[in-house]
Amino acid sequence: GVPDYLGYSKIDQLSDITRTSYTDDNYGTGLNQGIKYCYLVVAYYGDNAESYASNEACAQLKKDVPVITNVSVIETSSANGSMYIAWSKPTQLDTLQAPGPFKYIIRRSATGTQGSYIPIDSLSGLNDTIYTDHSLNTLNNKYIYIISLINNTPGNRFLVGSSQAASSVFLQLYPTDKKMKLRWNNDMPWTNYRFDIFRRDPGSLVFDSIGISTLPAYDDLNLVNGQEYCYKIRSVGKYSAGGFIEPIVNMSQITCAIPVDNIPPCPPVLHITTDCQHSVNSLSWTNPKDTCGNDIAKYYIYYSPSLAGSLTVMDSILNAEDTVYQHKPDQSIAGCYAIVAVDSVGNRSEMSNTICIDITACSTYSLPNVFTPNGDGKNDYLVPFPYTSVEKIDLSVFDRWGKKVFETHEPDIRWDGKDMTTGQPCSDGVYYYICDVYEVTLAGNIKRNLHGSVTILH
C-alpha cells in the first residue's frame, strides 16, 4: 500500500483489472499549469490484500498556455489603486496548429465567479508578459486575473488556451483588545510557503517587518487600544514544476485598523442563601477579574418573581469589588436571579448561572396548637409560626358545637381568643380551624389547605 506519510491521496479506483491506463483531469475541472504531479498505483487481490506501491511517476502539463506568476498590489487606494500582473509565456506551443502571431487578452474579476471576468486590455507578442492595471479600488477589493492566449493569424483567429485564475493577496483585519487578527486569502495556483508581515506603527511613515507565518493568518499582540496600526503582507511562493521564476513574490494592499476592547468579561458565578427570619435572599458572586483578568466597572442584577417571567434588570452595582447583594422581595422569597458583569468600555458578559429560590427554602405556613390569652404579655395571641411568601389566608375557627368564633384574611392572624360575635373571651378548650393559605411560589399563586385544632388556656 501507500503509507499516509508519503503525502499521496487516492483519486480513483478501477474495477476492470485489464485496464492499464488512466487520464487525470481533476474530475473534469482540469489540472493546473506549473504543478508537478506524481502518481503511484496499487493492486488489490482476491483476498483483499493490497500490493506494494508501483514506482513513482511524475509529470507536468505541457507549457502551452500562459502561467500567471504575479498579482501584486502596487498602490493602495479606494479609486486610484494599481496592480502588477506578470506571467510566464508558453514555451511548448504547437506552431503548426498555432503559427501566430499571438496576442494576450487580460481579463479581470473582483469576485471570481463564472461569467464575471471582463476583458480589460490586450498585449501583442509572446514576450510582452507584464501588465499594470490602474484606477482600481485596491483598498476594498481583491482582484483575480486570467490571461488568455489568442492565435492572431489573419483569417485563423482562435483561443489557444487560458491561464489558471490568480488572485491578489487581500488582507483583512479584525481588531480586538490590544490585539489585531490578520487574515488573508491564499487562492493562487502556485504554492505560497511563507508570508512576511509588515506593520506601520502610529505616527510612523515606515513599515517594519514584525513576523513570518506559513499560514494565511497572524495575530499581532501587545498593541495599544485606540491607536491606528497599518499592515501589509508579502507572500513568497513557487511552482513545483521547473521553468518558472522562483521565488514568486507578491504584495497585499495596505489596510489599517484600531485595536479596541471588544472582549466581554467572563460571566460571574452566582450563589444564593436565604434568611428565612427576615425574608431576605442574599446574593454573592465571583469577580470575573479573578478568573480571566477583565476590568469590571459594574454589575447588573436580573430578577424574575416566577419561572414563567423573563429575567429583567432589578438593580445595578457600580463597585467592581462589591459582589454581595441582599434582596427583600415584597411578597415572597420565591424568585430567579442572575448577574451580568460590564467592563469599563461597556462590554457585557454572558449571563451568570441562574438560581431560582422557591418557598420550600423556608418553613411553610403553619399554626401552633395552643395559646394563652390571659393578658400576661406572653403568647396572648394566636399567631402563625414564622413564615414567608403568603399573600393572604382565609381562616375560620369553630367551637366544638360548630359555631364560628373567629375569621380573618390577615396572615398574621393575631386572634386574642374572643368570640367575634359577642366580644367575650372564649372558654378554655379545643377549637377547630380550617385555613386556605394563598402562597406566592415560583409556579405562581397556589392555594394550600390547612385544618387542625388549637387549644385556649387562660
Side-chain angles (χ1 to χ4, degrees), residues 210-267:
I210 61 168
I212 294 174
S213 176
T214 57
L215 300 174
Y218 183 84
D219 289 348
D220 190 17
L221 309 178
N222 301 317
L223 304 179
V224 178
N225 287 343
Q227 299 285 329
E228 184 178 67
Y229 296 85
C230 297
Y231 299 85
K232 61 182 178 181
I233 304 297
R234 180 173 64 197
S235 65
V236 183
K238 67 177 183 177
Y239 282 107
S240 59
F244 299 92
I245 63 168
E246 185 181 339
I248 296 172
V249 178
N250 290 282
M251 298 300 299
S252 77
Q253 90 284 18
I254 297 170
T255 187
C256 306
I258 299 172
V260 60
D261 184 357
N262 54 11
I263 299 177
C266 300

Side-chain angles (χ1 to χ4, degrees), residues 2 35 40 43 48-49 135 154 166 241 269 296 298 337 382 431-432 446:
V2 181
I35 305 299
L40 295 173
N48 209 36
S135 302
V269 178
I296 303 300
K298 60 183 174 181
Y337 300 86
L382 174 64
Y431 294 80
Y432 301 92
I446 295 177

Side-chain angles (χ1 to χ4, degrees), residues 82-327:
S82 57
M83 303 285 298
Y84 170 79
I85 302 96
W87 56 94
S88 180
K89 69 179 183 179
T91 57
Q92 296 176 293
L93 284 169
D94 185 344
T95 56
L96 292 179
Q97 292 187 355
F102 299 98
K103 181 165 72 171
Y104 295 113
I105 303 295
I106 299 102
R107 291 187 290 154
R108 181 186 68 212
S109 171
T111 64
T113 58
Q114 188 173 2
S116 66
Y117 288 90
I118 300 172
I120 57 172
D121 211 338
S122 64
L123 299 175
S124 297
L126 282 178
N127 294 324
D128 197 355
T129 59
I130 294 175
Y131 182 79
T132 303
D133 197 7
H134 296 283
S135 302
L136 301 175
N137 181 2
T138 53
L139 178 65
N140 300 308
N141 294 329
K142 76 173 182 178
Y143 289 98
I144 309 160
Y145 293 86
I146 292 176
I147 309 299
S148 298
L149 179 64
I150 304 296
N151 180 73
N152 209 26
T153 305
N156 188 26
R157 189 174 187 273
F158 62 89
L159 172 66
V160 177
S162 298
S163 71
Q164 296 291 325
S167 168
S168 60
V169 178
F170 187 74
L171 173 62
Q172 293 179 291
L173 302 181
Y174 301 92
T176 185
D177 188 21
K178 300 178 183 178
K179 180 170 72 172
M180 195 74 70
K181 295 182 179 181
L182 287 72
R183 304 292 184 265
W184 57 91
N185 61 304
N186 193 23
D187 48 353
M188 297 81 179
W190 58 87
T191 299
N192 288 315
Y193 54 82
R194 190 181 84 227
F195 298 98
D196 301 324
I197 296 93
F198 297 86
R199 183 184 74 203
R200 186 175 67 202
D201 289 337
S204 175
L205 300 176
V206 179
F207 278 90
D208 292 320
S209 175
I210 61 168
I212 294 174
S213 176
T214 57
L215 300 174
Y218 183 84
D219 289 348
D220 190 17
L221 309 178
N222 301 317
L223 304 179
V224 178
N225 287 343
Q227 299 285 329
E228 184 178 67
Y229 296 85
C230 297
Y231 299 85
K232 61 182 178 181
I233 304 297
R234 180 173 64 197
S235 65
V236 183
K238 67 177 183 177
Y239 282 107
S240 59
F244 299 92
I245 63 168
E246 185 181 339
I248 296 172
V249 178
N250 290 282
M251 298 300 299
S252 77
Q253 90 284 18
I254 297 170
T255 187
C256 306
I258 299 172
V260 60
D261 184 357
N262 54 11
I263 299 177
C266 300
V269 178
L270 176 63
H271 302 276
I272 298 180
T273 59
T274 300
D275 180 349
C276 297
Q277 181 179 355
H278 299 98
S279 298
V280 171
N281 290 323
S282 295
L283 286 65
S284 63
W285 56 90
T286 58
N287 188 329
K289 79 169 188 178
D290 297 333
T291 54
C292 57
N294 297 96
D295 62 310
I296 303 300
K298 60 183 174 181
Y299 301 100
Y300 287 124
I301 301 169
Y302 284 77
Y303 169 72
S304 172
S306 69
L307 289 172
S310 300
L311 288 168
T312 57
V313 176
M314 173 180 66
D315 206 345
S316 62
I317 294 179
L318 302 181
N319 183 358
E321 303 302 321
D322 191 356
T323 58
V324 175
Y325 183 84
Q326 292 191 332
H327 180 220

Side-chain angles (χ1 to χ4, degrees), residues 416-455:
D416 58 5
K418 293 179 180 179
D419 188 309
M420 67 177 185
T421 302
T422 65
Q424 297 299 313
C426 295
S427 60
D428 288 0
V430 177
Y431 294 80
Y432 301 92
Y433 65 84
I434 56 173
C435 182
D436 289 331
V437 183
Y438 295 85
E439 295 169 313
V440 183
T441 73
L442 279 176
N445 287 15
I446 295 177
K447 182 177 74 171
R448 182 167 61 91
N449 180 261
L450 300 178
H451 58 275
S453 64
V454 59
T455 299

Side-chain angles (χ1 to χ4, degrees), residues 397-409:
V397 182
F398 303 88
D399 64 16
R400 69 182 64 186
W401 295 281
K403 176 188 174 186
K404 183 185 294 187
V405 296
F406 179 75
E407 65 179 2
T408 185
H409 301 297

